[in-house]
Amino acid sequence: MWGKIERPEAQGLGSRHPGDAVPAHDEVHQTHDQRRLAHPTPPGAALDQVFQVASSLQTAMNSVIEGKPAAVRTAVTALLAEGHLLIEDVPGVGKTMLAKTLGRCIDSSVRRVQFTPDLLPSDITGVSVYNQDVRDFEFRPGAIFANVVVGDEINRASPKTQSALLESMEEAQVTVDGTTYALPRPFMVLATQNPIEMEGTYPLPEAQRDRFMARISMGYPSARSEVEMLDTHGSRSPLEDLRPVTDAATVTQMIDAVRRVHASQALKQYVVDVTQATRTSSALRLGASPRASLHLLRASRAHAALAGRDHVLPDDVQSMTVPVLAHRLMLTGESQLAHRSAADILTDLLQRVRVPAPTR
């Protein structure tokens, strides 16, 4: 029977010479802890690994996604910040290709879900099925049990099915029939959606959008990039030759290293000032949530790590403000009539919020 997913911790016995006494169980862990404290991993060394592996990851993805380095960088930033990414644009511009490329570059479990109107919540979370051999119910995990989950055209499923992702995206767990199952780490949802003006789509509710750390739009490629795409994609898919550049364990270590990137108190206050400015703006009828503040800080830490720094600058916050906050905002009727976008309003707000002096 499928049980609760555990996250075992690595246990090292160290080196032992012949004739040495075998230490007791508690002494083994005490020796390991003492060794870890005596020789801790320098923060700089961990961030060096983040920078090197992330650079290789972006290089591999850029070899498939032509002419979209900013979208690739945002996707890697969301991965290192342990967030989820929403890719929104018209059909045929490479949304699913970007999601599949990121999953292919990581040697981990990847599941793809095609969202359709007849998709059921149990198809995502899993279901308990009666096993006649053991005369008991056993849990059969759904598509959400993977390190990278690619949700294609998420807004073509019903709101009931969309809501099946809420718990997993927020708490990295799934509850079925009263039993909670932990999801593997790292865990990331890469969802694509078409604009809500397209036929047969259901707009994502605010609670669902708020769980995505960032949203990006691919946009049409330049003429030069499109010609290169015809050369590379014309005969065969470049995904066939793409090889993983890292694995799930390394990505988990990178995520932990990004969490230790320093953010001063003044920088945290700046993050709060930016999100509070959206709540008081007359151009918006719904501002950013406190969860958005947390996501903005985490994304800024990842952005700093990708730049090779061990501390966050206001420039990092400004760079991530639009991808992290824009999809959470609701514009007033006047703003819509004036053809202003959420990105335009955020750009104006950033110019009004006082920028703190960068400190360590």
Side-chain angles (χ1 to χ4, degrees):
M1 179 180 294
W2 185 277
K4 295 184 180 179
I5 297 177
E6 301 291 341
R7 296 176 180 168
E9 305 228 345
Q11 298 178 2
L13 297 180
S15 59
R16 185 166 58 89
H17 298 285
D20 290 348
V22 179
H25 178 75
D26 293 340
E27 293 176 353
V28 169
H29 287 278
Q30 184 178 10
T31 303
H32 175 74
D33 291 340
Q34 290 175 347
R35 183 167 60 252
R36 177 176 57 83
L37 294 175
H39 303 284
T41 302
L47 290 178
D48 286 343
Q49 181 191 32
V50 172
F51 181 78
Q52 294 172 5
V53 176
S55 298
S56 300
L57 186 59
Q58 292 179 79
T59 300
M61 294 180 65
N62 284 322
S63 67
V64 178
I65 308 299
E66 301 286 348
K68 297 296 178 182
V72 169
R73 185 180 181 87
T74 303
V76 175
T77 301
L79 172 68
L80 298 182
E82 207 169 14
H84 309 291
L85 183 66
L86 179 63
I87 311 172
E88 180 182 283
D89 216 321
V90 296
V93 294
K95 302 186 300 297
T96 305
M97 181 63 72
L98 174 64
K100 292 171 64 177
T101 301
L102 179 59
R104 184 68 65 89
C105 288
I106 304 173
D107 188 10
S108 61
S109 57
V110 181
R111 300 287 294 273
R112 180 178 181 272
V113 184
Q114 181 65 52
F115 282 76
T116 56
D118 60 346
L119 188 71
L120 299 176
S122 58
D123 295 330
I124 298 176
T125 60
V127 64
S128 295
V129 179
Y130 186 77
N131 190 331
Q132 293 185 354
D133 295 335
V134 299
R135 295 187 178 183
D136 198 359
F137 285 91
E138 64 178 12
F139 177 68
R140 295 185 180 178
I144 200 67
F145 286 87
N147 294 113
V148 179
V149 179
V150 180
D152 200 10
E153 296 185 305
I154 187 176
N155 59 336
R156 292 200 179 277
S158 65
K160 180 179 180 180
T161 303
Q162 293 176 10
S163 64
L165 294 170
L166 294 178
E167 180 185 12
S168 59
M169 293 178 64
E170 179 65 18
E171 305 175 40
Q173 66 182 28
V174 172
T175 302
V176 178
D177 294 335
T179 303
T180 299
Y181 305 91
L183 296 175
R185 190 170 183 241
F187 172 68
M188 183 182 191
V189 174
L190 287 159
T192 70
Q193 76 165 358
N194 299 322
I196 61 175
E197 291 80 7
M198 296 292 179
E199 295 182 0
T201 59
Y202 302 86
L204 295 181
E206 289 79 6
Q208 182 75 52
R209 293 202 313 268
D210 199 47
R211 280 166 169 77
F212 284 100
M213 173 173 284
R215 182 192 65 179
I216 60 174
S217 295
M218 300 294 293
Y220 291 110
S222 64
R224 179 178 179 181
S225 297
E226 195 163 0
V227 171
E228 293 177 355
M229 182 191 70
L230 295 179
D231 292 334
T232 56
H233 296 248
S235 57
R236 58 182 300 179
S237 173
L239 284 176
E240 298 177 6
D241 300 325
L242 191 63
R243 296 292 179 266
V245 300
T246 185
D247 54 21
T250 303
V251 172
T252 301
Q253 295 174 1
M254 294 166 65
I255 291 173
D256 293 337
V258 167
R259 289 180 175 179
R260 297 192 294 270
V261 173
H262 177 70
S264 66
Q265 197 63 32
L267 193 284
K268 294 177 182 178
Q269 183 62 51
Y270 180 57
V271 170
V272 174
D273 290 344
V274 171
T275 54
Q276 284 191 339
T278 64
R279 302 166 194 167
T280 58
S281 173
S282 59
L284 301 171
R285 59 188 180 94
L286 179 65
S289 65
R291 183 191 286 121
S293 300
L294 292 172
H295 284 180
L296 182 56
L297 178 60
R298 285 162 49 186
S300 299
R301 282 192 167 113
H303 190 272
L306 288 179
R309 283 183 278 102
D310 62 352
H311 59 284
V312 184
L313 297 178
D315 291 344
D316 300 313
V317 178
Q318 295 171 2
S319 297
M320 297 309 302
T321 294
V322 172
V324 174
L325 300 186
H327 64 287
R328 309 169 193 263
L329 308 179
M330 295 184 65
L331 279 62
T332 61
E334 292 78 4
S335 298
Q336 294 177 359
L337 290 175
H339 299 288
R340 301 187 67 192
S341 65
D344 296 333
I345 296 174
L346 286 172
T347 301
D348 293 341
L349 293 178
L350 285 175
Q351 296 177 354
R352 301 176 187 175
V353 178
R354 186 181 66 85
V355 179
T359 58
R360 292 294 302 274

